[in-house]
Amino acid sequence: QQQVRQSPQSLTVWEGETAILNCSYENSAFDYFPWYQQFPGEGPALLISILSVSNKKEDGRFTIFFNKREKKLSLHIADSQPGDSATYFCAASVRNNRIFFGDGTQLVVKP
Amino acid sequence: GALVYQYPRRTICKSGTSMRMECQAVGFQATSVAWYRQSPQKTFELIALSTVNSAIKYEQNFTQEKFPISHPNLSFSSMTVLNAYLEDRGLYLCGARGDAETLYFGSGTRLTVL
């Protein structure tokens, strides 16, 4: 059973729009949710993360919205730039335990 | 800041031969190291989780006999792919974690098998 699911599989937005990437999870014990950004040929880089005690986390143009009751979260990328084009992975874990990854959302930002 | 160096970036080996990849943590102590394989479709497969001073735990479908891992100290880990075949192709990722929750990845080792 897949522990973390992401949608859509791919997303195209215009420069300046807000991209919304969705994620859901199975295990209600998960309490740590990092998002990773991966460019072609590179390893994933931590972008932003949230703990389950919070329902929102902002870092510049990147915001995570978290709904513990529905076991869902989303990553909003405001004022999207062509340089944001990458694959984004939602992940989840019980803190300091194994991290489970979704299958990613491939984001394309058109100029 | 915390960094993870992984090398080589890419390697090509003949079918049936072996290759070794290495991972070095800089700026933090890597108390645990997770080795993943990422498929062309971007799916992550956890190969094994290594914690210093504990046994290395391999996931189903991966064995120590095929993917021996060394994690001798808090800054270094290596993994070897023995007798590589076509199905072993992919991007191998080393993820290192210190005392905090954050898992830092290296740039990956892309394995091509001829």
Side-chain angles (χ1 to χ4, degrees):
Chain A
Q1 184 186 25
Q2 189 155 4
Q3 295 288 327
V4 178
R5 298 180 194 273
Q6 289 186 246
S7 65
Q9 191 172 15
S10 62
L11 176 65
T12 299
V13 299
W14 293 101
E15 183 175 358
E17 292 184 333
T18 296
I20 300 176
L21 290 65
N22 299 303
C23 180
S24 63
Y25 61 97
E26 292 295 321
N27 188 348
S28 56
F30 288 151
D31 55 7
Y32 170 63
F33 303 88
W35 283 84
Y36 286 84
Q37 179 188 56
Q38 186 177 27
F39 295 106
E42 298 290 331
L46 180 68
L47 185 65
I48 187 173
S49 63
I50 193 168
L51 297 173
S52 60
V53 294
S54 303
N55 54 27
K56 183 179 176 182
K57 175 83 173 286
E58 275 184 273
D59 185 357
R61 296 185 294 109
F62 301 94
T63 303
I64 299 174
F65 292 93
F66 179 71
N67 185 322
K68 187 173 183 176
R69 184 178 60 83
E70 294 187 10
K71 294 192 285 187
K72 291 181 178 178
L73 59 158
S74 59
L75 174 68
H76 291 224
I77 305 175
D79 188 24
S80 296
Q81 302 297 309
D84 296 329
S85 298
T87 302
Y88 292 81
F89 292 94
C90 173
S93 76
V94 178
R95 288 177 74 172
N96 295 322
N97 285 285
R98 175 188 170 175
I99 292 182
F100 293 86
F101 288 86
D103 289 340
T105 293
Q106 186 172 4
L107 174 67
V108 174
V109 181
K110 291 189 172 180
Chain B
L3 288 172
V4 174
Y5 290 105
Q6 187 175 348
Y7 37 89
R9 289 291 299 267
R10 49 185 60 85
T11 185
I12 300 172
C13 66
K14 288 184 178 179
S15 183
T17 63
S18 303
M19 65 81 53
R20 170 184 155 112
M21 57 195 80
E22 299 181 344
C23 181
Q24 184 152 17
V26 176
F28 69 106
Q29 294 184 320
T31 53
S32 68
V33 173
W35 286 93
Y36 289 87
R37 181 170 67 196
Q38 192 176 31
S39 70
Q41 294 74 33
K42 306 285 187 184
T43 303
F44 285 82
E45 290 180 281
L46 178 63
I47 297 171
L49 183 62
S50 170
T51 304
V52 171
N53 297 326
S54 294
I56 298 171
K57 184 180 177 186
Y58 285 82
E59 291 295 301
Q60 197 171 15
N61 300 327
F62 297 97
T63 65
Q64 183 180 6
E65 290 71 32
K66 173 73 174 177
F67 299 94
I69 289 170
S70 171
H71 188 187
N73 56 52
L74 293 172
S75 64
F76 181 82
S77 178
S78 67
M79 185 177 76
T80 301
V81 181
L82 293 174
N83 300 317
Y85 288 99
L86 276 177
E87 59 265 27
D88 296 319
R89 292 170 303 171
L91 181 67
Y92 288 83
L93 293 165
C94 157
R97 209 176 202 174
D99 293 333
E101 313 88 359
T102 306
L103 185 68
Y104 296 100
F105 282 98
S107 54
T109 296
R110 184 163 298 283
L111 173 62
T112 300
V113 181
L114 300 178

